[in-house]
Amino acid sequence: MNAQERVFTAISGGKPDRVPVIPKIWVDLAAVILGVDLKEIVTSPETALRVMTDAGLACGFDAVRMWHFPAKKIREQDGKVIEFDEHGARRGEVDMLGGLVTHLDDPAMFILEDPYMMAHHHYWTCENPLVNSVADAARMHVPTRADYERFGWAGRMRAQQRRAGDKLDIIGDCDSPTLAFYISFRGMNNALMDLLEEPELVEAVMDKGVEIAIERAKFNLDLGLKVLRLNDSAGNMSVISPALWRRFIKPRFKHFCDEVHAHDKDARVYCHICGNVMPIIEDLVETGLDCIAPLDPLGGVTAAQVRATVGARASLMGGVNTLSFINSTPAQIMGEARRCIEGAGAGGGYILGSGCVVPRAAKRENLAALVETAAIYGNYEAMI
C-alpha cells in the first residue's frame, strides 16, 4: 500500500498493511528538522507548506497536516520580530517562541470584513477582543473557495501534493468552528465567561466559525484531499463541562460532519481535541466523526480506554504522550507506542500518533522510534 491508501483504509475502520504513523508535528518542529529559519515561514506561505511535506518525507511519516500562513512583512528590532503592514506601519510583535502569531498593538488593525485576514485569522491576536457584539459577528467575512484560490492556496497545495507523491498523504486543515475559534477573537478568559454570561454572542461567532470550516473543508475536498482535520483543542473537559460542550460544540460538530459527508461521501473527518474527552466520547461518535484524536495521556486518556468505549464505531488516532518525545528514550517510546497499537489497533481502524502537538525540542530519534514501532508491531500480516 502507498501512504494515501494506508491512511484512508485505517481512518475508514479497516486494516491496512500496517498501522499508519501520523505524529502531530507543526511547522516549528518541521523547521528544526530541516534547518529552516522560522522567519522564512512567517514571511513565506510556500515555505510553511513545504517544510511540512519535506519533514514528513524525511521522517517516514504516512501523512502531515497543512496550514496556510499569511505572507507577513517583518523586521527585527531589539531582538524581537515585528510585523508591519503594506504601508510600513507597525502591527505588533510576532510570537516566535509560540504560535508565530502577531500580537496586534490595536484590535482595530484586524478587519473583520477583510477576506484575507479572516482566511488567516489564526495568525493575529490582541490583548483586547477583536469581536465585542453580535453585530461584530455579523461583520465577519466567511472566506469562499474563490477567495482561497485568489490567495494562492490551491496552487501552493497542488505543488505539495506533487512533491509528496504517493509516499505521503496530505491532510486538509479546517481549523476550529467552535471554542478555539471563539477564543481567538475574544481571548480565553472572556470566552469562558461568555459561555455563561453571553451565550448569544457565543452562538453568533461559533455559527460563523462553522460556516468558515465547512467552506474550507469543501475547498480541500475539491483539491482531491480525502482526510480532514477539525480542531477544537480548547473544547475539552479539562476546560469546560460536558453540559457546555453539548450545548455549544456538539451540534456544530455534527452540522460540519453532515455537510462535509454530503459534499463528498469519501471524505474522512477526524477531530483534534486534546485534554480529557472521556465524558464526551459517545457524543463525539454521535456527531458523525470518522476518527477521534489525539487520545491525550496528559488529559488522562489512553488509546485502549477509548477503544473499549467506542468499539468499531469510530477510528482512533494518537495516544503517545507528547512529552515523551522530549523526555523518553527511543526504547521507551517504542514501549509506549506498542501499548497503543495493542490497546486500540489490533482490529484495525487505528493510526499511531502523538497525544498532542510534538514539541519543537523533540528528539529526532524518538520520532524514528515511533515509525519503527509501527513497522514491527503494527504489521497486520505479522499479527495474523
Side-chain angles (χ1 to χ4, degrees), residues 29-51:
L29 177 54
V32 169
I33 290 170
L34 299 171
V36 174
D37 191 321
L38 280 175
K39 291 190 290 294
E40 293 184 43
I41 291 170
V42 172
T43 58
S44 170
E46 292 86 355
T47 302
L49 294 176
R50 178 179 54 78
V51 296

Side-chain angles (χ1 to χ4, degrees), residues 250 254 281-289 313:
K250 181 178 180 178
K254 186 176 189 309
I281 287 294
E282 290 291 343
D283 299 276
L284 288 169
V285 174
E286 291 169 5
T287 64
L289 287 163
R313 293 176 295 159

Side-chain angles (χ1 to χ4, degrees), residues 40-356:
E40 293 184 43
I41 291 170
V42 172
T43 58
S44 170
E46 292 86 355
T47 302
L49 294 176
R50 178 179 54 78
V51 296
M52 292 300 297
T53 303
D54 289 356
L57 290 169
C59 292
F61 302 151
D62 288 294
V64 291
R65 309 168 295 169
M66 288 290 186
W67 290 270
H68 295 270
F69 276 64
K72 294 183 177 180
K73 301 179 187 300
I74 61 171
R75 293 201 298 268
E76 290 191 64
Q77 294 182 345
D78 301 322
K80 299 177 180 179
V81 176
I82 308 299
E83 181 187 355
F84 294 83
D85 68 16
E86 63 273 20
H87 304 296
R90 174 187 159 116
R91 277 183 168 159
E93 182 181 349
V94 181
D95 179 11
M96 300 301 292
L97 296 178
L100 308 182
V101 175
T102 298
H103 291 260
L104 297 171
D105 295 335
D106 184 345
M109 294 176 176
F110 190 94
I111 310 301
L112 296 170
E113 299 89 346
D114 186 321
Y116 190 83
M117 296 200 90
M118 285 300 299
H120 304 92
H121 71 86
H122 188 70
Y123 302 102
W124 290 286
T125 189
C126 188
E127 183 178 354
N128 297 311
L130 303 176
V131 169
N132 291 290
S133 66
V134 172
D136 285 346
R139 292 167 45 215
M140 298 170 76
H141 178 80
V142 177
T144 65
R145 280 167 276 178
D147 287 330
Y148 295 133
E149 287 274 0
R150 184 160 53 89
F151 301 149
W153 285 29
R156 289 192 287 268
M157 187 66 90
R158 291 187 187 102
Q160 297 313 308
Q161 289 173 289
R162 292 191 295 270
R163 195 177 188 91
D166 64 2
K167 294 181 172 59
L168 186 73
D169 199 14
I170 301 295
I171 295 171
D173 182 61
C174 302
D175 211 337
S176 168
T178 43
L179 186 56
F181 178 81
Y182 190 77
I183 288 169
S184 67
F185 290 94
R186 291 284 294 160
M188 175 65 86
N189 291 341
N190 286 328
L192 296 182
M193 292 302 296
D194 289 348
L195 293 172
L196 302 175
E197 298 179 351
E198 299 285 349
E200 289 186 6
L201 179 57
V202 175
E203 300 268 2
V205 174
M206 286 189 182
D207 285 346
K208 280 298 180 78
V210 174
E211 289 184 57
I212 291 170
I214 289 171
E215 191 67 14
R216 189 174 296 187
K218 292 178 179 178
F219 164 79
N220 284 319
L221 292 168
D222 290 351
L223 284 175
L225 305 183
K226 293 300 181 187
V227 179
L228 304 177
R229 169 187 180 264
L230 186 67
N231 172 57
D232 198 345
S233 51
N236 61 67
M237 304 312 100
S238 304
V239 178
I240 64 172
S241 70
L244 288 173
W245 192 90
R246 292 178 183 120
R247 175 178 178 181
F248 292 105
I249 299 175
K250 181 178 180 178
R252 290 172 175 83
F253 265 43
K254 186 176 189 309
H255 178 52
F256 174 89
C257 291
D258 289 346
E259 286 288 323
V260 167
H261 289 134
H263 183 78
D264 185 341
K265 64 180 178 58
D266 292 326
R268 298 293 183 266
V269 180
Y270 80 87
C271 66
H272 176 101
I273 307 177
C274 44
N276 179 19
V277 296
M278 289 311 301
I280 57 164
I281 287 294
E282 290 291 343
D283 299 276
L284 288 169
V285 174
E286 291 169 5
T287 64
L289 287 163
D290 299 288
C291 180
I292 298 169
L295 318 179
D296 184 4
L298 294 174
V301 179
T302 69
Q305 185 181 21
V306 179
R307 176 60 75 202
T309 303
V310 305
R313 293 176 295 159
S315 295
L316 303 179
M317 181 193 302
V320 178
N321 191 326
T322 185
L323 296 182
S324 296
F325 292 93
I326 298 176
N327 299 326
S328 295
T329 65
Q332 289 170 325
I333 285 283
M334 291 188 72
E336 189 174 348
R338 181 180 181 180
R339 288 191 293 274
C340 289
I341 292 172
E342 292 173 346
Y350 176 65
I351 297 169
L352 180 63
S354 52
C356 196

